Amino acid sequence: MKRRRLRGLRPRLVVAFGLVAGVAAATTGALTFREARIGVLQQSQDAVIGQLRAQLNERAPELPYPPGESALQQIATDVADADASGSWRVLVTYRELRASSVPGDRFPELTPAVRAAVASSRATVFQRVDEGGRPSLVVGMSVTFGDPDGSRLASGVRVFLVVPQTTEQAYVDALVSAVERAMVPALGLAVVLALFAARGVLVPVRALRQATRRMAEGRLDTRLDVHGSDELAELSHAFNETAAALETSVAELREMEARARRFAADVSHELRTPLAAMSAVTDVLDEDAARLDSDTATAVRLISEETVKLTRLVDDLMEISRFDAGAAVLHLDEIDLAESIRRTLAARGWSDTVDTRLPPPDAARGRVDPRRLDVVVANLVGNALKHGGAPVRVRLDVHGSDGRGAVIEVRDSGPGIPDDVLPHVFERFYKSDTARSRSEGSGLGLAITAENVRIHGGTVRAANHPAGGAVFTVELPLQRDESSEEHPS
Amino acid sequence: MPRVLLIEDDRAVREGVALALRRQNHDVAAASTGEEGLEQLRSFRPDIVVLDLMLPGMTGLDVCRAIRAVDQALPIIMATARGDEVDIVIGLEAGADDYVVKPVTARVLDARIRAVLRRSGGVPAGEGLPKIDSYGELTVDRAGLTVRLGGEPIALAPSELRLLLTLSASPGQVFSRQQLLEAVWEHDYHGDARLVDACVKRLRTKMSEPPRAPRYIHTVRGFGYRFAAP
């Protein structure tokens, strides 16, 4: 969840916007800074060099040659004093002689490279150095003599000038901090914009998500409000079209299904009327068959027997179609389950063939539909006798300290159910093989059993017992009627 | 020979059931509509009516109410299809004594007819009891099969009479619905308890029981019914 949150659209948009704003601000700042710095330094450097040239041009002609130390000192002092700010430090050298404007100045800023460059060329040399955090401009030039023929000779006098550039540095620092300060509101603004943009995307996306969930819950009439004409609006529009198409096709499917179900129910219903007439006379046929010639008697008995089967089949079909249509109703009555099972077995003449393990009277009472419970037990026991083999055991247990559930287990002593058949035993008209084929019954018995258990809110399972034989287990929730008041009837 | 009036709209069913019932020694008259059936009621004077609930025109329910309006004691068996739209309970409350689910074999229908007819006579579990019992305002004559409330006779349908006789034979004993189905209707144990509830309701109405505080027939929640002398 947390990881998903971090990878959500909103944080991603915020990060992206922030990055863009940051990179933009930093790039702009860097470029501005560079240009400004170059401009500021260039200007100050040009001014310094210009000023130095002017000073030297003025003072060089007065210089005795070869100069003495005092002359060099004089020049150094004069040049340094010429600057209004008084921050110039001047060094003049000739061969081994050194004179500086500030006595004892060691000129740490003066790099050998500058010295070498000044020594080797007549051009003005300058270098920006940063000595101990104090940036300075170092300028060096040779004093030359101009010949009348126009060529120039190096006099050997070299002048070095060190100008602190703290003002320029402060100016540049101010620029940098201005850029830094601008970055914070720029980022803040970017985040706010990102949140707005995210909201613009997320609101429709969230609406879409909720609508999709509603659709998944089966509310196919869900539609989105479409605002504007951007891609999200198009998406919402496409969603609405899809939902409408889905709703239409689902409605068609449901209609078809309902028609098919109605058809099955109607067919069974229509079959019942002729069967009612036929059922009424089967007893007459059975009674008189003995008095007919053998072929007619066989035919008559066949019609009688098949009428009984057909009646059962149609009855089961109607039962199944009522389950399918959701029209099956429970008629609950609080009964003693053990008694009910005993009666089911007795009514079908199975009391002697089936072993029972039932709790004492009133130990297993609950509200069930007695007719449906009878159908469940009769179908399972009938199935066990027909396909499994004797002895068949029926066990009823109440579980839970409050007797909230009942377990009915029907176990036979047959070969068990093949593994490939097990998953299908409760399917309609499922025939596994000739061994378990339907000798009688509609092929709907176990399907109806399963539906009858389900409508009680219970479950039924088929399995094979380790010791052999098939085991059908029914679990039923048992509601008790606990109030003792009169019910108004 | 019981006289059975069969009201059934489908010709084949009508003829088949009539033929089979005649073979079971019943004297059968058949009608194809409710109106015709009510007509024959006067001329044929049946002992019992077998009534299809799904009739064209006048419904089985209307026929049932019309019969009950003139004759409280004539036994009526409804023929219905399980799960049909017409609720069995409505039929029972309209005054039917019993119902069979179609398709039904002649043997089953015959057994039902005879059971309903038996209810008009005979006393279940009543041997050794005094012939006439009085419980408060209620007087039950087990020999003459009459019931009086405050001296006035009450006209009861056969199933109502049999139910009252069964319950009052053992005052204080609780009968489950399934037990009553077996004792009164001779159904099997897994019958439809609605039959009992509907009959109790009709009986209480005829005995002018106060709706929420019955004096004679008490409901024991989760178990069934119990008769008590007030």
Side-chain angles (χ1 to χ4, degrees):
Chain A
M1 197 67 213
K2 195 161 183 172
R3 277 187 56 202
R4 249 198 53 220
R5 289 212 87 77
L6 287 176
R7 287 153 79 182
L9 199 54
R10 181 179 291 144
R12 275 168 32 197
L13 273 174
V14 167
V15 168
F17 269 66
L19 273 177
V20 168
V23 168
T27 313
T28 311
L31 287 174
T32 310
F33 165 72
R34 214 184 85 196
E35 290 306 314
R37 183 167 172 269
I38 287 170
V40 166
L41 295 177
Q42 192 77 49
Q43 192 198 351
S44 76
Q45 161 189 311
D46 289 352
V48 166
I49 292 170
Q51 212 174 341
L52 180 63
R53 278 233 176 85
Q55 286 292 326
L56 287 181
N57 285 341
E58 195 179 322
R59 311 223 183 271
E62 298 161 18
L63 191 71
Y65 193 82
E69 193 167 342
S70 60
L72 295 181
Q73 185 64 55
Q74 188 62 52
I75 287 210
T77 314
D78 287 352
V79 170
D81 290 349
D83 178 56
S85 68
S87 59
W88 284 23
R89 286 153 54 218
V90 183
L91 171 71
V92 185
T93 63
Y94 175 71
R95 304 261 168 103
E96 303 310 314
L97 294 175
R98 293 175 88 255
S100 61
S101 58
V102 181
D105 195 338
R106 300 193 46 92
F107 285 93
E109 299 90 350
L110 215 55
T111 57
V114 172
R115 289 176 197 266
V118 171
S120 62
S121 96
R122 290 201 301 268
T124 310
V125 174
F126 62 90
Q127 185 184 32
R128 268 190 293 271
V129 293
D130 200 335
E131 182 66 33
R134 289 192 310 280
S136 333
L137 176 69
V138 179
V139 184
M141 56 175 71
S142 290
V143 179
T144 55
F145 302 127
D147 262 8
D149 60 3
S151 65
R152 303 186 70 80
L153 284 171
S155 62
V157 177
R158 291 166 195 164
V159 181
F160 296 94
L161 166 66
V162 176
V163 186
Q165 293 226 294
T166 44
T167 321
E168 286 74 9
Q169 187 59 42
Y171 185 46
V172 168
D173 285 352
L175 258 180
V176 171
S177 62
V179 168
E180 280 173 355
R181 276 203 301 275
M183 202 119 152
V184 174
L187 273 176
L189 191 62
V191 166
V192 169
L193 283 175
L195 289 176
F196 267 110
R199 192 166 163 269
V201 175
L202 283 175
V203 167
V205 165
R206 200 171 292 139
L208 193 61
R209 188 183 64 203
Q210 281 166 353
T212 312
R213 285 222 179 105
R214 276 204 299 276
M215 294 270 294
E217 284 162 8
R219 290 165 59 189
L220 298 179
D221 56 346
T222 306
R223 299 291 180 273
L224 290 167
D225 298 333
V226 182
H227 306 292
S229 57
D230 58 359
E231 287 83 349
L232 283 166
E234 279 171 23
L235 182 62
S236 302
H237 191 69
F239 174 89
N240 285 349
E241 283 175 350
T242 311
L246 190 63
E247 193 180 13
T248 310
S249 52
V250 166
E252 278 171 8
L253 279 174
R254 284 194 180 144
E255 174 59 31
M256 274 162 64
E257 192 192 18
R259 247 202 313 260
R261 271 211 302 258
R262 263 201 309 276
F263 181 72
D266 289 347
V267 166
S268 323
H269 204 94
E270 290 303 322
L271 285 172
R272 221 170 23 182
T273 307
L275 276 174
M278 290 159 76
S279 295
V281 296
T282 49
D283 295 337
V284 178
L285 295 180
D286 292 345
E287 279 169 25
D288 292 1
R291 295 205 300 269
L292 302 169
D293 72 83
S294 72
D295 281 359
T296 316
T298 307
V300 161
R301 283 201 188 96
L302 203 69
I303 286 176
S304 170
E305 282 164 18
E306 293 308 302
T307 301
V308 173
K309 279 190 204 167
L310 195 55
T311 303
R312 237 185 96 180
L313 173 60
V314 169
D315 239 354
D316 285 354
L317 275 174
M318 299 244 355
E319 190 80 354
I320 281 281
S321 67
R322 267 194 296 274
F323 280 119
D324 285 349
V329 191
L330 275 178
H331 299 301
L332 297 173
D333 186 18
E334 178 147 329
I335 58 165
D336 180 351
L337 267 60
E339 176 68 5
S340 170
I341 291 174
R342 249 193 299 276
R343 303 280 189 132
T344 297
L345 299 177
R348 289 165 182 78
W350 293 335
S351 299
D352 301 332
T353 43
V354 175
D355 303 337
T356 53
R357 273 200 23 216
L358 306 173
D362 286 355
R365 289 187 68 84
R367 285 173 69 72
V368 294
D369 183 326
R371 183 185 72 82
R372 294 189 188 280
L373 181 66
D374 175 59
V375 167
V376 167
V377 174
N379 270 331
L380 291 179
V381 174
N383 189 65
L385 287 168
K386 197 160 58 197
H387 299 303
V392 171
R393 297 182 197 84
V394 178
R395 218 182 73 207
L396 169 65
D397 280 319
V398 179
H399 61 74
S401 52
D402 49 359
R404 279 280 172 239
V407 179
I408 301 167
E409 195 180 81
V410 178
R411 187 183 155 195
D412 63 48
S413 309
I417 302 169
D419 285 346
D420 58 322
V421 177
L422 262 183
H424 306 289
V425 286
F426 295 108
E427 284 174 15
R428 298 162 191 195
F429 301 120
Y430 185 78
K431 298 174 193 157
S432 56
D433 57 28
T434 48
R436 275 183 97 92
S437 71
R438 299 182 344 250
S439 49
E440 54 180 281
S442 62
L444 291 167
L446 286 178
I448 287 175
T449 300
E451 293 284 3
N452 274 319
V453 173
R454 207 168 298 141
I455 200 175
H456 278 94
T459 56
V460 59
R461 292 191 312 275
N464 285 314
H465 198 275
V471 185
F472 285 82
T473 312
V474 174
E475 295 193 27
L476 285 180
L478 287 187
Q479 278 96 34
R480 294 292 296 265
D481 212 343
E482 270 153 8
S483 54
S484 59
E485 81 217 46
E486 292 284 342
H487 76 73
S489 62
Chain B
M1 193 185 270
R3 299 162 68 79
V4 181
L5 171 60
L6 173 66
I7 308 175
E8 163 66 59
D9 59 317
D10 186 81
R11 184 193 56 83
V13 176
R14 201 168 54 241
E15 285 180 7
V17 172
L19 164 70
L21 288 176
R22 284 193 191 103
R23 297 272 301 225
Q24 305 271 5
N25 293 320
H26 295 282
D27 190 355
V28 184
S32 59
T33 64
E35 291 84 349
E36 197 187 321
L38 290 175
E39 204 60 46
Q40 295 206 18
L41 207 59
R42 283 188 282 278
S43 54
F44 182 64
R45 307 194 64 75
D47 298 317
I48 187 162
V49 178
V50 176
L51 173 64
D52 183 19
L53 269 190
M54 298 290 281
L55 289 172
M58 190 179 188
T59 66
L61 283 179
D62 298 334
V63 176
C64 199
R65 289 194 192 100
I67 295 173
R68 280 282 170 264
V70 295
D71 190 345
Q72 287 284 358
L74 178 63
I76 301 171
I77 296 181
M78 302 187 302
T80 150
R82 186 184 306 134
D84 258 358
E85 296 71 25
V86 176
D87 197 341
I88 288 171
V89 170
I90 299 174
L92 294 169
E93 289 180 356
D97 286 289
D98 200 353
Y99 73 95
V100 289
V101 178
K102 294 199 298 185
V104 61
T105 63
R107 205 169 307 174
V108 169
L109 184 57
D110 172 58
R112 284 294 167 82
I113 288 171
R114 293 184 191 280
V116 171
L117 289 172
R118 264 197 302 277
R119 262 172 253 166
S120 323
V123 184
E127 297 83 10
L129 287 169
K131 289 286 176 266
I132 299 182
D133 266 325
S134 288
Y135 313 94
E137 291 189 344
L138 189 73
T139 310
V140 180
D141 180 349
R142 293 179 188 282
L145 299 174
T146 53
V147 177
R148 290 172 184 272
L149 188 70
E152 290 296 310
I154 315 176
L156 294 179
S159 51
E160 294 156 11
L161 177 66
R162 177 96 162 191
L163 179 66
L164 183 58
L165 291 175
T166 305
L167 287 169
S168 63
S170 315
Q173 187 190 329
V174 179
F175 291 88
S176 77
R177 291 177 178 83
Q178 303 297 332
Q179 280 175 316
L180 291 170
L181 276 172
E182 288 182 293
V184 178
W185 283 269
E186 299 179 34
H187 280 221
D188 67 18
Y189 182 78
H190 301 102
D192 195 330
R194 291 177 298 169
L195 206 55
V196 184
D197 292 339
C199 193
V200 167
K201 192 172 174 179
R202 286 190 337 231
L203 192 51
R204 281 174 175 167
T205 306
K206 286 183 178 178
M207 289 163 64
S208 316
E209 291 272 56
R212 292 195 176 266
R215 295 162 299 173
Y216 301 104
I217 302 172
H218 296 266
T219 305
V220 183
R221 269 251 189 230
F223 285 86
Y225 296 102
R226 174 173 57 88
F227 183 87

